Amino acid sequence: MSRDVQNSTLKNENDKFIFLDPEELPTSWYNIQADLPEPLPPPLDPTTLKPINPELLERIFAKELIRQEVATERYIKIPDEVIDAYLRLPRPTPIYRAKRLENYLGTPAEIYFKCENFSPTGSHKTNTAIAQAYYNKKQGTERLVTETGAGQWGTALALASTIFGLKCRIYMVRVSYQQKPGRRIIAQTYGAEIFPSPSDQTEFGKKLLKENPNHPGNLGIAISEAIEDTLTHENTRYSLGSVLNHVLLHQSIVGLEAKKQFEKIGKYPDIVVGCIGGGSNYAGLAYPFMEDKLKGKSEAEFVAVESKAVPHTTKGVYTYDYGDSAGLTPLLKMLTIGHTYETPPIHAGGLRYHGMAPSISYLIYKNYMRSVAYHQTEVFEAARILAKTEGMIAAPETAHAIKFVIDEALRCKKTGEKKIILMNYSGHGLLDLSAYESYLAGKLVNYEPEKIEVPQFSY
Ligand SMILES: *Cc1c(COP(=O)(O)O)cnc(C)c1O
């Protein structure tokens, strides 16, 4: 009898949510640079094309973030103030078992979502925004500057800035600023200043506006404006929401929690899935599990999902490239489709970056992970299935990963495999309803580059 009760409790938890108590929140981040088979190639100075001296970056980034960027120790302690802010997001986030989706698909596979959509701004981006704002505050920065595309990163940094008492300025790509007011209003409500980019706030922006007063802008231009603003204002630093090693480090909280959660139910994922824009949410979930694979302790599969419109890892080249379209930032060795690639206007704004985090690029290049790409119409079909079965409205970015999960679950149905699938549910789509409206009206357009030209830099 007591045994039955025990079993049914376990089954229950396993069937719906897996929670962690606040005291179980991990207290260190995991740094994959400690376990990669070889060191990552160094970033290059854009003027000399030689490895950059990290100190040169101190005018742009907080010191501790630069240290973390090149750190090789396996664990980095999370400061108490950051732990406190994580707990109030709240973290730990639950893992949700998508049982109704499983039943609908008739699959023997088990589908688990790590729920990063529960953050106040609706995505995982707060995990690094909080850490970055904290280290800046601690070294005396008064003002943070950044860019944002669709606005997820802007809202996360605006929230973190108000938590730590920093001023925040955001350059938002003009088309998104005009077409997607929701996240702009959230950032303003948190107290951030937000300008459509190109703006009249920088020399670069003014030059572009003179040429075209209705310039639609793009992420590369917004980055250039944010960096110019940083360099021309006292006590100001720049903040980036993805791609860099320190951002992926902060996101490891997601996978560290997930690992503890799976230990609780006595299981281990067979396949770890996530969408990739710059790579931060996926690395965050995947790397603590990848540690086991790199050490020969697991044979889990790792699948990163991208858009066919921006096929950085499925069609890109593994080479040095700039981080922005103007060519002002250091060059990173990464899978890229070229910094001058004109990203098509897909609804998944967070997947519209030309490059990929250096460590993800390396792991894909060396076949520790694989990647797949989908068109947005099939992605929204998958999002619709999720909505109708689980009631969840996924962010367009997250929906890319859903599409793979559904395909994989249906493949398992054919083979009878009882695979355990773990996916990062990176964000909700309640501020992306215009994308759903286009889908429902049959108006979504698919894009695919005809050819990809990536300039080759040797070092
Ligand atoms: C920004 C964003 C992404 C893409 O960025 P990554 O750095 O690759 O995680 C994915 N999903 C959501 C919800 C986002 O806001």
Side-chain angles (χ1 to χ4, degrees), residues 309-329:
V310 190
H312 28 24
T313 71
T314 47
K315 292 198 174 155
V317 181
Y318 187 51
T319 185
Y320 272 105
D321 196 6
Y322 296 100
D324 65 331
S325 36
L328 298 173
T329 70

Side-chain angles (χ1 to χ4, degrees), residues 4-51:
D4 282 354
V5 172
Q6 228 183 0
N7 279 346
S8 75
T9 325
L10 192 66
K11 190 163 157 263
N12 247 342
E13 181 170 49
N14 197 354
D15 235 17
K16 297 181 181 69
F17 279 98
I18 315 167
F19 291 105
L20 287 182
D21 290 331
E23 308 78 64
E24 295 175 287
L25 183 77
T27 53
S28 295
W29 292 298
Y30 168 63
N31 177 16
I32 195 145
Q33 293 192 81
D35 292 312
L36 290 175
E38 50 196 311
L40 290 173
L44 303 185
D45 186 315
T47 48
T48 63
L49 297 184
K50 296 262 156 52

Side-chain angles (χ1 to χ4, degrees), residues 22-89:
E23 308 78 64
E24 295 175 287
L25 183 77
T27 53
S28 295
W29 292 298
Y30 168 63
N31 177 16
I32 195 145
Q33 293 192 81
D35 292 312
L36 290 175
E38 50 196 311
L40 290 173
L44 303 185
D45 186 315
T47 48
T48 63
L49 297 184
K50 296 262 156 52
I52 198 165
N53 174 358
E55 276 166 29
L56 279 182
L57 297 171
E58 285 183 12
R59 185 59 193 84
I60 298 182
F61 292 106
K63 267 189 187 171
E64 175 60 17
L65 299 173
I66 299 167
R67 193 194 73 75
Q68 291 177 358
E69 190 61 23
V70 293
T72 52
E73 69 260 39
R74 182 167 293 116
Y75 293 104
I76 294 180
K77 193 182 170 315
I78 307 175
D80 291 345
E81 293 85 342
V82 174
I83 294 268
D84 184 79
Y86 276 176
L87 290 170
R88 289 169 200 282
L89 274 174

Side-chain angles (χ1 to χ4, degrees), residues 123-125 152 242 275-281 350-351 395 397-398 426-427:
S123 84
H124 66 286
K125 291 204 173 69
Q152 288 109 327
S242 187
C275 63
I276 46 170
S280 74
N281 86 81
L351 305 189
E397 295 84 0
T398 312
S426 57

